[in-house]
Amino acid sequence: QVQLVESGGGLVQAGGSLRLSCAAFGSMFSMYAMGWFRQAPGKEREFVAAISRSGGNTDYADSVKGRFTISRDNAKSTVYLQMNSLKPEDTAVYYCAAEITYSRGTYSKTFGDYDYWGQGTQVTVSS
């Protein structure tokens, strides 16, 4: 079992940057692929980015590709989401999630594949 705690959200102007962190508490962080999802008011939760257990493989939603970067530090049991060139449409609650996987190189982009979720952190981008 793992508990996930996000931080780093806030209010930023369009074009600005934020760095989200997700700290994992529990055992075997390196056994989890990690993902970031977001949910805007009135919309479904959507995939943002994912990273494999080893950190060697990553993937992004088309809407954030080239602007967001996911990374992880297994020694610190933390996953990050660096968000640059933020747009008002990036406004949402951002959630990190952990997926139990036996493969070091895989990850999922599917909401239902993740086993643990954080409480979310609000990101608001003003125009």
Side-chain angles (χ1 to χ4, degrees):
Q1 185 127 1
V2 64
Q3 182 183 5
L4 303 173
V5 180
E6 301 100 333
S7 61
L11 174 65
V12 64
Q13 288 190 330
S17 298
L18 282 175
R19 188 196 197 201
L20 304 184
S21 298
C22 173
F25 299 92
S27 61
M28 306 296 285
F29 177 73
S30 61
M31 290 292 293
Y32 300 98
M34 300 298 295
W36 285 96
F37 290 75
R38 67 186 181 186
Q39 188 166 18
K43 295 188 176 181
E44 293 186 351
R45 195 169 298 192
E46 65 174 1
F47 169 77
V48 175
I51 189 166
S52 61
R53 284 173 46 189
S54 66
N57 293 325
T58 59
D59 203 354
Y60 300 89
D62 288 343
S63 59
V64 307
K65 204 168 291 184
R67 300 188 297 123
F68 291 10
T69 302
I70 188 171
S71 61
R72 67 188 294 162
D73 185 337
N74 285 349
K76 295 182 178 179
S77 298
T78 301
V79 63
Y80 305 96
L81 186 68
Q82 177 67 44
M83 306 186 295
N84 298 329
S85 302
L86 282 161
K87 304 175 181 180
E89 51 263 44
D90 294 318
T91 295
V93 177
Y94 283 71
Y95 299 89
C96 75
E99 175 198 8
I100 299 171
T101 175
Y102 296 100
S103 170
R104 288 178 56 82
T106 62
Y107 50 79
S108 175
K109 298 165 67 172
T110 303
F111 170 88
D113 288 341
Y114 283 81
D115 301 286
Y116 302 102
W117 291 84
Q119 82 288 350
T121 185
Q122 176 70 47
V123 171
T124 303
V125 184
S126 63
S127 57

